[in-house]
Amino acid sequence: MEHLIDMELGELKHKLLTMASHAETAVNEAIRALVERDYDLALHVKENDAVLNRFEIEIDDMVIHLLAKAPLASDLRFVTVAMKISQNLERVGDEASKIAKRARDLSEEPPVKLHLDLPRMATLALHMLKSSLDAFVNRDSAAARAVIPRDKEVDALNKQFNQQIAEHMMENPDTIKRCLNLIVVSKSLERIADHAKNVAEEVVYLCEAQDIRHPNRGKGGTAAITG
Amino acid sequence: MEHLIDMELGELKHKLLTMASHAETAVNEAIRALVERDYDLALHVKENDAVLNRFEIEIDDMVIHLLAKAPLASDLRFVTVAMKISQNLERVGDEASKIAKRARDLSEEPPVKLHLDLPRMATLALHMLKSSLDAFVNRDSAAARAVIPRDKEVDALNKQFNQQIAEHMMENPDTIKRCLNLIVVSKSLERIADHAKNVAEEVVYLCEAQDIRHPNRGKGGTAAITG
């Protein structure tokens, strides 16, 4: 027979996955609003951000309730990790809102003649997020570890887009204000990949009970940081 | 006689305040590196980020250890809030590193002839952070609440600087790449103020055991969001 606390942990996991699905939809809609220059869809994304905010609060309530029951050490990690994943998902929603705001502004201006494959960047970032959550559900440390290096691909795209945008601005100074919106969008997608990486790192911690977030730990304050 | 758990909670608080002091130093040094065009100081800030990363890990370890002792409900909130504050401080350190990276790049280029009072913006953001942490130490909900609206001042400065930078770029397209670095710096300072606001909101939650992070809670998913 399943214990009550196991049922509650199951509910927490279920709620987190529902929240993740909302976050994914928000990002996809924000990018669609940008590409299709759809003012109303952009507005809808910004309004819908309240749903993710509410999820975060509800998950925090569940977490505090579960922690008060003094769960086993392994459950304790699961519960604190769930809280951190929820924070990351809420911030993915914030980034979707920021993209939507820029999509809305850009939909009212002439299009910038610059090919940036932002949808591909969004797909990469969301795929990282999905893999991280699958790894969480399956408690699959290897799958979570495999997500982490993919962040570099998204960083590289962001850098490449920034160079393209900077060149376009230099050649077409009248597009500078619009181009700055595109820089913000690219930066937001890069941050979504960062959040996916954070989730993956939390899952590794959950599975292995060791902290991989900062590989320089223990090497002293003067350890060299690259990048 | 003080209980062991009270001593441990005191240690957690102490560690958090030491971490906050490191984060503040990092931001101040990053801005000084920018203003004084000091390549070596910028490098030092980036290298020192490892210290804040290590603090976050150590605080998480203390948190898990304390949660396993099944503290009282009020201590439970204190401990989870400490974990969230530590996350925010670690991200303040990340922003300081980003500023330092841009300061380093800018120190190798001719200066941009554009007056932006970035040190003032940094002072505002750090003052918010300090007030939030004082409110945490004193469990002063009113003081924490007073921090929250100050985020809007920093947002307004960021918006004003972005406009100045955009105009400067339009008039001097040869400065675009350097100006993009200044946009990143201003954005990082705006995020530091966001983190300070997050800390203030956590302190209000700690004191009042109610969630003020998302004022639209309960108004349904279609509640209007401004801003």
Side-chain angles (χ1 to χ4, degrees), chain B residues 23-32 34-35 92 96 99 116-130 150 153-154 157-158 161 185-186 188-190 192-193 196:
Chain B
E24 187 186 345
T25 301
V27 177
N28 278 326
E29 287 180 342
I31 290 295
R32 193 148 57 83
L34 180 82
V35 171
V92 168
I99 294 170
L116 303 173
D117 199 348
L118 290 163
R120 184 179 151 228
M121 191 178 180
T123 302
L124 282 175
L126 287 177
H127 199 257
M128 283 176 67
L129 191 62
K130 192 172 180 325
R150 284 155 58 190
E153 291 173 50
V154 180
L157 270 183
N158 181 46
F161 291 166
V185 171
S186 177
S188 277
L189 290 173
E190 190 252 334
I192 291 169

mmCIF file of all heavy atoms in Angstrom, chain B residues 23-32 34-35 92 96 99 116-130 150 153-154 157-158 161 185-186 188-190 192-193 196:
data_model
loop_
_atom_site.group_PDB
_atom_site.id
_atom_site.type_symbol
_atom_site.label_atom_id
_atom_site.label_comp_id
_atom_site.label_asym_id
_atom_site.label_seq_id
_atom_site.Cartn_x
_atom_site.Cartn_y
_atom_site.Cartn_z
ATOM 1 N N ALA B 23 29.088 39.590 -2.323
ATOM 2 C CA ALA B 23 28.351 39.948 -3.548
ATOM 3 C C ALA B 23 28.412 41.456 -3.772
ATOM 4 O O ALA B 23 28.624 41.934 -4.893
ATOM 5 C CB ALA B 23 26.902 39.471 -3.448
ATOM 6 N N GLU B 24 28.251 42.211 -2.677
ATOM 7 C CA GLU B 24 28.286 43.673 -2.770
ATOM 8 C C GLU B 24 29.663 44.139 -3.262
ATOM 9 O O GLU B 24 29.767 44.990 -4.153
ATOM 10 C CB GLU B 24 27.976 44.272 -1.391
ATOM 11 C CG GLU B 24 27.813 45.776 -1.425
ATOM 12 C CD GLU B 24 27.650 46.379 -0.034
ATOM 13 O OE1 GLU B 24 27.385 45.634 0.945
ATOM 14 O OE2 GLU B 24 27.801 47.612 0.070
ATOM 15 N N THR B 25 30.708 43.562 -2.683
ATOM 16 C CA THR B 25 32.070 43.912 -3.098
ATOM 17 C C THR B 25 32.272 43.619 -4.589
ATOM 18 O O THR B 25 32.862 44.425 -5.321
ATOM 19 C CB THR B 25 33.098 43.117 -2.267
ATOM 20 O OG1 THR B 25 32.889 43.432 -0.893
ATOM 21 C CG2 THR B 25 34.523 43.451 -2.663
ATOM 22 N N ALA B 26 31.770 42.478 -5.037
ATOM 23 C CA ALA B 26 31.939 42.102 -6.448
ATOM 24 C C ALA B 26 31.304 43.144 -7.368
ATOM 25 O O ALA B 26 31.911 43.553 -8.370
ATOM 26 C CB ALA B 26 31.325 40.719 -6.698
ATOM 27 N N VAL B 27 30.097 43.585 -7.022
ATOM 28 C CA VAL B 27 29.415 44.574 -7.872
ATOM 29 C C VAL B 27 30.188 45.893 -7.855
ATOM 30 O O VAL B 27 30.439 46.495 -8.913
ATOM 31 C CB VAL B 27 27.957 44.792 -7.421
ATOM 32 C CG1 VAL B 27 27.291 45.876 -8.265
ATOM 33 C CG2 VAL B 27 27.167 43.483 -7.510
ATOM 34 N N ASN B 28 30.589 46.333 -6.673
ATOM 35 C CA ASN B 28 31.338 47.598 -6.577
ATOM 36 C C ASN B 28 32.642 47.538 -7.368
ATOM 37 O O ASN B 28 32.995 48.486 -8.076
ATOM 38 C CB ASN B 28 31.619 47.930 -5.108
ATOM 39 C CG ASN B 28 30.422 48.602 -4.455
ATOM 40 O OD1 ASN B 28 29.698 49.366 -5.101
ATOM 41 N ND2 ASN B 28 30.187 48.307 -3.180
ATOM 42 N N GLU B 29 33.335 46.419 -7.272
ATOM 43 C CA GLU B 29 34.601 46.303 -7.999
ATOM 44 C C GLU B 29 34.370 46.250 -9.513
ATOM 45 O O GLU B 29 35.152 46.820 -10.280
ATOM 46 C CB GLU B 29 35.368 45.053 -7.542
ATOM 47 C CG GLU B 29 35.960 45.222 -6.142
ATOM 48 C CD GLU B 29 36.731 44.002 -5.658
ATOM 49 O OE1 GLU B 29 36.540 42.899 -6.241
ATOM 50 O OE2 GLU B 29 37.505 44.131 -4.709
ATOM 51 N N ALA B 30 33.300 45.575 -9.921
ATOM 52 C CA ALA B 30 33.007 45.483 -11.360
ATOM 53 C C ALA B 30 32.726 46.869 -11.942
ATOM 54 O O ALA B 30 33.209 47.221 -13.024
ATOM 55 C CB ALA B 30 31.822 44.550 -11.603
ATOM 56 N N ILE B 31 31.975 47.672 -11.191
ATOM 57 C CA ILE B 31 31.650 49.021 -11.674
ATOM 58 C C ILE B 31 32.906 49.899 -11.656
ATOM 59 O O ILE B 31 33.134 50.702 -12.570
ATOM 60 C CB ILE B 31 30.508 49.634 -10.821
ATOM 61 C CG1 ILE B 31 29.180 48.903 -11.117
ATOM 62 C CG2 ILE B 31 30.359 51.134 -11.080
ATOM 63 C CD1 ILE B 31 28.661 49.085 -12.540
ATOM 64 N N ARG B 32 33.736 49.723 -10.624
ATOM 65 C CA ARG B 32 34.985 50.492 -10.565
ATOM 66 C C ARG B 32 35.893 50.111 -11.746
ATOM 67 O O ARG B 32 36.499 50.977 -12.386
ATOM 68 C CB ARG B 32 35.697 50.243 -9.236
ATOM 69 C CG ARG B 32 36.822 51.219 -8.941
ATOM 70 C CD ARG B 32 37.000 51.492 -7.449
ATOM 71 N NE ARG B 32 37.235 50.259 -6.693
ATOM 72 C CZ ARG B 32 38.434 49.654 -6.563
ATOM 73 N NH1 ARG B 32 39.503 50.175 -7.136
ATOM 74 N NH2 ARG B 32 38.553 48.564 -5.855
ATOM 75 N N LEU B 34 34.916 49.149 -14.588
ATOM 76 C CA LEU B 34 34.321 49.759 -15.782
ATOM 77 C C LEU B 34 34.686 51.238 -15.880
ATOM 78 O O LEU B 34 35.161 51.704 -16.923
ATOM 79 C CB LEU B 34 32.793 49.591 -15.718
ATOM 80 C CG LEU B 34 32.015 50.163 -16.891
ATOM 81 C CD1 LEU B 34 32.026 49.181 -18.061
ATOM 82 C CD2 LEU B 34 30.566 50.463 -16.492
ATOM 83 N N VAL B 35 34.492 51.959 -14.784
ATOM 84 C CA VAL B 35 34.689 53.411 -14.786
ATOM 85 C C VAL B 35 36.168 53.749 -14.950
ATOM 86 O O VAL B 35 36.533 54.652 -15.701
ATOM 87 C CB VAL B 35 34.123 54.030 -13.481
ATOM 88 C CG1 VAL B 35 34.510 55.496 -13.367
ATOM 89 C CG2 VAL B 35 32.608 53.862 -13.437
ATOM 90 N N VAL B 92 23.502 37.577 -8.178
ATOM 91 C CA VAL B 92 24.094 38.927 -8.138
ATOM 92 C C VAL B 92 25.575 38.820 -8.512
ATOM 93 O O VAL B 92 26.094 39.613 -9.304
ATOM 94 C CB VAL B 92 23.923 39.568 -6.737
ATOM 95 C CG1 VAL B 92 24.781 40.825 -6.607
ATOM 96 C CG2 VAL B 92 22.458 39.911 -6.478
ATOM 97 N N ALA B 96 27.671 40.529 -11.559
ATOM 98 C CA ALA B 96 28.934 41.263 -11.358
ATOM 99 C C ALA B 96 29.995 40.748 -12.332
ATOM 100 O O ALA B 96 30.747 41.528 -12.929
ATOM 101 C CB ALA B 96 29.411 41.127 -9.912
ATOM 102 N N ILE B 99 29.304 42.106 -15.782
ATOM 103 C CA ILE B 99 29.729 43.505 -15.872
ATOM 104 C C ILE B 99 31.256 43.551 -16.022
ATOM 105 O O ILE B 99 31.791 44.290 -16.850
ATOM 106 C CB ILE B 99 29.279 44.294 -14.610
ATOM 107 C CG1 ILE B 99 27.748 44.389 -14.568
ATOM 108 C CG2 ILE B 99 29.901 45.697 -14.601
ATOM 109 C CD1 ILE B 99 27.193 44.929 -13.253
ATOM 110 N N LEU B 116 26.762 58.220 -18.738
ATOM 111 C CA LEU B 116 25.712 57.418 -18.096
ATOM 112 C C LEU B 116 26.126 57.255 -16.644
ATOM 113 O O LEU B 116 27.239 56.788 -16.377
ATOM 114 C CB LEU B 116 25.638 56.022 -18.722
ATOM 115 C CG LEU B 116 25.396 55.910 -20.215
ATOM 116 C CD1 LEU B 116 25.541 54.449 -20.638
ATOM 117 C CD2 LEU B 116 24.015 56.434 -20.584
ATOM 118 N N ASP B 117 25.257 57.593 -15.721
ATOM 119 C CA ASP B 117 25.645 57.484 -14.312
ATOM 120 C C ASP B 117 25.407 56.047 -13.824
ATOM 121 O O ASP B 117 24.565 55.790 -12.956
ATOM 122 C CB ASP B 117 24.896 58.511 -13.462
ATOM 123 C CG ASP B 117 25.586 58.742 -12.118
ATOM 124 O OD1 ASP B 117 26.492 57.942 -11.778
ATOM 125 O OD2 ASP B 117 25.217 59.707 -11.422
ATOM 126 N N LEU B 118 26.192 55.105 -14.377
ATOM 127 C CA LEU B 118 26.066 53.699 -13.969
ATOM 128 C C LEU B 118 26.424 53.490 -12.490
ATOM 129 O O LEU B 118 25.769 52.683 -11.825
ATOM 130 C CB LEU B 118 26.909 52.812 -14.895
ATOM 131 C CG LEU B 118 26.350 52.711 -16.332
ATOM 132 C CD1 LEU B 118 27.422 52.184 -17.292
ATOM 133 C CD2 LEU B 118 25.112 51.820 -16.393
ATOM 134 N N PRO B 119 27.446 54.212 -11.942
ATOM 135 C CA PRO B 119 27.716 54.041 -10.507
ATOM 136 C C PRO B 119 26.496 54.382 -9.645
ATOM 137 O O PRO B 119 26.232 53.719 -8.652
ATOM 138 C CB PRO B 119 28.876 55.008 -10.253
ATOM 139 C CG PRO B 119 29.584 55.091 -11.567
ATOM 140 C CD PRO B 119 28.481 55.048 -12.598
ATOM 141 N N ARG B 120 25.737 55.407 -10.041
ATOM 142 C CA ARG B 120 24.535 55.756 -9.263
ATOM 143 C C ARG B 120 23.529 54.600 -9.316
ATOM 144 O O ARG B 120 22.912 54.238 -8.310
ATOM 145 C CB ARG B 120 23.899 57.028 -9.832
ATOM 146 C CG ARG B 120 22.715 57.474 -8.986
ATOM 147 C CD ARG B 120 22.060 58.755 -9.496
ATOM 148 N NE ARG B 120 20.657 58.738 -9.142
ATOM 149 C CZ ARG B 120 19.672 59.015 -9.982
ATOM 150 N NH1 ARG B 120 19.931 59.358 -11.228
ATOM 151 N NH2 ARG B 120 18.425 58.950 -9.574
ATOM 152 N N MET B 121 23.369 54.022 -10.495
ATOM 153 C CA MET B 121 22.441 52.893 -10.645
ATOM 154 C C MET B 121 22.898 51.720 -9.764
ATOM 155 O O MET B 121 22.082 51.068 -9.107
ATOM 156 C CB MET B 121 22.405 52.491 -12.118
ATOM 157 C CG MET B 121 21.305 51.530 -12.476
ATOM 158 S SD MET B 121 21.377 51.204 -14.263
ATOM 159 C CE MET B 121 19.999 50.064 -14.439
ATOM 160 N N ALA B 122 24.216 51.478 -9.755
ATOM 161 C CA ALA B 122 24.756 50.387 -8.919
ATOM 162 C C ALA B 122 24.487 50.669 -7.446
ATOM 163 O O ALA B 122 24.097 49.775 -6.687
ATOM 164 C CB ALA B 122 26.255 50.240 -9.170
ATOM 165 N N THR B 123 24.678 51.930 -7.039
ATOM 166 C CA THR B 123 24.447 52.289 -5.637
ATOM 167 C C THR B 123 22.980 52.047 -5.258
ATOM 168 O O THR B 123 22.688 51.501 -4.186
ATOM 169 C CB THR B 123 24.820 53.773 -5.403
ATOM 170 O OG1 THR B 123 26.198 53.928 -5.765
ATOM 171 C CG2 THR B 123 24.630 54.181 -3.959
ATOM 172 N N LEU B 124 22.061 52.455 -6.141
ATOM 173 C CA LEU B 124 20.629 52.235 -5.863
ATOM 174 C C LEU B 124 20.338 50.742 -5.692
ATOM 175 O O LEU B 124 19.665 50.330 -4.744
ATOM 176 C CB LEU B 124 19.770 52.779 -7.017
ATOM 177 C CG LEU B 124 19.531 54.287 -7.086
ATOM 178 C CD1 LEU B 124 18.756 54.639 -8.362
ATOM 179 C CD2 LEU B 124 18.742 54.753 -5.858
ATOM 180 N N ALA B 125 20.848 49.930 -6.631
ATOM 181 C CA ALA B 125 20.568 48.487 -6.591
ATOM 182 C C ALA B 125 21.163 47.849 -5.335
ATOM 183 O O ALA B 125 20.501 47.054 -4.649
ATOM 184 C CB ALA B 125 21.109 47.819 -7.853
ATOM 185 N N LEU B 126 22.408 48.245 -5.004
ATOM 186 C CA LEU B 126 23.062 47.655 -3.826
ATOM 187 C C LEU B 126 22.409 48.133 -2.541
ATOM 188 O O LEU B 126 22.355 47.391 -1.550
ATOM 189 C CB LEU B 126 24.559 47.999 -3.823
ATOM 190 C CG LEU B 126 25.390 47.247 -4.861
ATOM 191 C CD1 LEU B 126 26.838 47.721 -4.827
ATOM 192 C CD2 LEU B 126 25.331 45.734 -4.623
ATOM 193 N N HIS B 127 21.904 49.343 -2.554
ATOM 194 C CA HIS B 127 21.209 49.840 -1.371
ATOM 195 C C HIS B 127 19.921 49.045 -1.144
ATOM 196 O O HIS B 127 19.571 48.703 -0.006
ATOM 197 C CB HIS B 127 20.927 51.337 -1.524
ATOM 198 C CG HIS B 127 20.646 51.992 -0.213
ATOM 199 N ND1 HIS B 127 19.383 52.334 0.197
ATOM 200 C CD2 HIS B 127 21.474 52.309 0.816
ATOM 201 C CE1 HIS B 127 19.440 52.860 1.412
ATOM 202 N NE2 HIS B 127 20.700 52.855 1.806
ATOM 203 N N MET B 128 19.242 48.717 -2.219
ATOM 204 C CA MET B 128 18.050 47.844 -2.115
ATOM 205 C C MET B 128 18.425 46.498 -1.502
ATOM 206 O O MET B 128 17.725 45.963 -0.634
ATOM 207 C CB MET B 128 17.448 47.595 -3.502
ATOM 208 C CG MET B 128 16.640 48.746 -4.072
ATOM 209 S SD MET B 128 16.092 48.369 -5.779
ATOM 210 C CE MET B 128 14.947 46.999 -5.476
ATOM 211 N N LEU B 129 19.547 45.961 -1.974
ATOM 212 C CA LEU B 129 19.983 44.642 -1.486
ATOM 213 C C LEU B 129 20.309 44.712 0.005
ATOM 214 O O LEU B 129 19.905 43.852 0.789
ATOM 215 C CB LEU B 129 21.222 44.196 -2.286
ATOM 216 C CG LEU B 129 21.672 42.751 -2.112
ATOM 217 C CD1 LEU B 129 20.596 41.778 -2.563
ATOM 218 C CD2 LEU B 129 22.962 42.481 -2.894
ATOM 219 N N LYS B 130 21.004 45.783 0.400
ATOM 220 C CA LYS B 130 21.387 45.933 1.807
ATOM 221 C C LYS B 130 20.145 46.084 2.686
ATOM 222 O O LYS B 130 20.041 45.449 3.746
ATOM 223 C CB LYS B 130 22.327 47.135 1.950
ATOM 224 C CG LYS B 130 22.970 47.158 3.323
ATOM 225 C CD LYS B 130 24.046 48.187 3.485
ATOM 226 C CE LYS B 130 24.623 48.114 4.912
ATOM 227 N NZ LYS B 130 23.650 47.780 5.950
ATOM 228 N N ARG B 150 11.160 50.429 -4.897
ATOM 229 C CA ARG B 150 12.389 51.078 -5.366
ATOM 230 C C ARG B 150 12.933 50.418 -6.631
ATOM 231 O O ARG B 150 13.739 51.018 -7.354
ATOM 232 C CB ARG B 150 13.435 51.079 -4.252
ATOM 233 C CG ARG B 150 13.112 52.149 -3.203
ATOM 234 C CD ARG B 150 13.687 51.858 -1.825
ATOM 235 N NE ARG B 150 15.124 51.702 -1.856
ATOM 236 C CZ ARG B 150 15.834 51.252 -0.814
ATOM 237 N NH1 ARG B 150 15.229 50.912 0.307
ATOM 238 N NH2 ARG B 150 17.136 51.129 -0.904
ATOM 239 N N GLU B 153 12.534 52.562 -9.724
ATOM 240 C CA GLU B 153 13.527 53.625 -9.999
ATOM 241 C C GLU B 153 14.662 53.078 -10.860
ATOM 242 O O GLU B 153 15.133 53.742 -11.785
ATOM 243 C CB GLU B 153 14.153 54.137 -8.696
ATOM 244 C CG GLU B 153 13.231 54.927 -7.798
ATOM 245 C CD GLU B 153 13.907 55.225 -6.454
ATOM 246 O OE1 GLU B 153 15.056 55.710 -6.454
ATOM 247 O OE2 GLU B 153 13.286 54.937 -5.402
ATOM 248 N N VAL B 154 15.102 51.872 -10.499
ATOM 249 C CA VAL B 154 16.222 51.276 -11.245
ATOM 250 C C VAL B 154 15.760 50.918 -12.661
ATOM 251 O O VAL B 154 16.483 51.142 -13.633
ATOM 252 C CB VAL B 154 16.785 50.051 -10.487
ATOM 253 C CG1 VAL B 154 17.942 49.427 -11.249
ATOM 254 C CG2 VAL B 154 17.238 50.457 -9.086
ATOM 255 N N LEU B 157 15.828 54.054 -14.696
ATOM 256 C CA LEU B 157 17.194 54.426 -15.098
ATOM 257 C C LEU B 157 17.661 53.567 -16.270
ATOM 258 O O LEU B 157 18.261 54.075 -17.223
ATOM 259 C CB LEU B 157 18.169 54.233 -13.933
ATOM 260 C CG LEU B 157 18.394 55.407 -12.985
ATOM 261 C CD1 LEU B 157 19.442 55.024 -11.948
ATOM 262 C CD2 LEU B 157 18.865 56.648 -13.746
ATOM 263 N N ASN B 158 17.387 52.262 -16.196
ATOM 264 C CA ASN B 158 17.792 51.357 -17.276
ATOM 265 C C ASN B 158 17.155 51.790 -18.598
ATOM 266 O O ASN B 158 17.816 51.849 -19.635
ATOM 267 C CB ASN B 158 17.380 49.920 -16.927
ATOM 268 C CG ASN B 158 17.789 48.924 -17.992
ATOM 269 O OD1 ASN B 158 18.907 48.939 -18.479
ATOM 270 N ND2 ASN B 158 16.850 48.061 -18.392
ATOM 271 N N PHE B 161 18.841 55.027 -19.799
ATOM 272 C CA PHE B 161 20.184 54.753 -20.345
ATOM 273 C C PHE B 161 20.066 54.085 -21.719
ATOM 274 O O PHE B 161 20.822 54.405 -22.631
ATOM 275 C CB PHE B 161 20.992 53.861 -19.399
ATOM 276 C CG PHE B 161 21.397 54.528 -18.112
ATOM 277 C CD1 PHE B 161 21.879 53.782 -17.039
ATOM 278 C CD2 PHE B 161 21.297 55.906 -17.947
ATOM 279 C CE1 PHE B 161 22.259 54.394 -15.848
ATOM 280 C CE2 PHE B 161 21.673 56.535 -16.754
ATOM 281 C CZ PHE B 161 22.149 55.769 -15.701
ATOM 282 N N VAL B 185 25.707 46.055 -19.422
ATOM 283 C CA VAL B 185 26.027 46.485 -18.053
ATOM 284 C C VAL B 185 24.780 47.053 -17.362
ATOM 285 O O VAL B 185 24.451 46.687 -16.227
ATOM 286 C CB VAL B 185 27.161 47.532 -18.045
ATOM 287 C CG1 VAL B 185 27.340 48.140 -16.662
ATOM 288 C CG2 VAL B 185 28.476 46.909 -18.531
ATOM 289 N N SER B 186 24.075 47.919 -18.086
ATOM 290 C CA SER B 186 22.882 48.540 -17.502
ATOM 291 C C SER B 186 21.827 47.470 -17.178
ATOM 292 O O SER B 186 21.203 47.488 -16.116
ATOM 293 C CB SER B 186 22.342 49.578 -18.495
ATOM 294 O OG SER B 186 21.160 50.151 -18.021
ATOM 295 N N SER B 188 22.427 44.338 -16.478
ATOM 296 C CA SER B 188 22.893 43.561 -15.323
ATOM 297 C C SER B 188 22.565 44.281 -14.019
ATOM 298 O O SER B 188 22.145 43.655 -13.046
ATOM 299 C CB SER B 188 24.400 43.317 -15.410
ATOM 300 O OG SER B 188 24.671 42.213 -16.235
ATOM 301 N N LEU B 189 22.755 45.604 -14.002
ATOM 302 C CA LEU B 189 22.435 46.356 -12.779
ATOM 303 C C LEU B 189 20.927 46.292 -12.509
ATOM 304 O O LEU B 189 20.504 46.172 -11.359
ATOM 305 C CB LEU B 189 22.898 47.806 -12.915
ATOM 306 C CG LEU B 189 24.421 47.999 -12.918
ATOM 307 C CD1 LEU B 189 24.780 49.453 -13.221
ATOM 308 C CD2 LEU B 189 25.025 47.588 -11.566
ATOM 309 N N GLU B 190 20.149 46.326 -13.579
ATOM 310 C CA GLU B 190 18.698 46.232 -13.414
ATOM 311 C C GLU B 190 18.337 44.869 -12.827
ATOM 312 O O GLU B 190 17.456 44.757 -11.969
ATOM 313 C CB GLU B 190 18.040 46.467 -14.779
ATOM 314 C CG GLU B 190 16.546 46.632 -14.750
ATOM 315 C CD GLU B 190 15.830 45.422 -15.315
ATOM 316 O OE1 GLU B 190 16.416 44.704 -16.148
ATOM 317 O OE2 GLU B 190 14.681 45.179 -14.907
ATOM 318 N N ILE B 192 20.276 43.068 -10.881
ATOM 319 C CA ILE B 192 20.699 43.039 -9.467
ATOM 320 C C ILE B 192 19.585 43.635 -8.600
ATOM 321 O O ILE B 192 19.262 43.092 -7.536
ATOM 322 C CB ILE B 192 22.042 43.782 -9.291
ATOM 323 C CG1 ILE B 192 23.165 42.963 -9.967
ATOM 324 C CG2 ILE B 192 22.361 44.022 -7.821
ATOM 325 C CD1 ILE B 192 24.496 43.672 -10.104
ATOM 326 N N ALA B 193 18.981 44.707 -9.077
ATOM 327 C CA ALA B 193 17.843 45.281 -8.340
ATOM 328 C C ALA B 193 16.680 44.284 -8.281
ATOM 329 O O ALA B 193 15.988 44.178 -7.258
ATOM 330 C CB ALA B 193 17.402 46.594 -8.990
ATOM 331 N N ALA B 196 17.438 41.938 -5.557
ATOM 332 C CA ALA B 196 17.197 42.584 -4.254
ATOM 333 C C ALA B 196 15.698 42.589 -3.946
ATOM 334 O O ALA B 196 15.279 42.328 -2.816
ATOM 335 C CB ALA B 196 17.742 44.012 -4.275
#
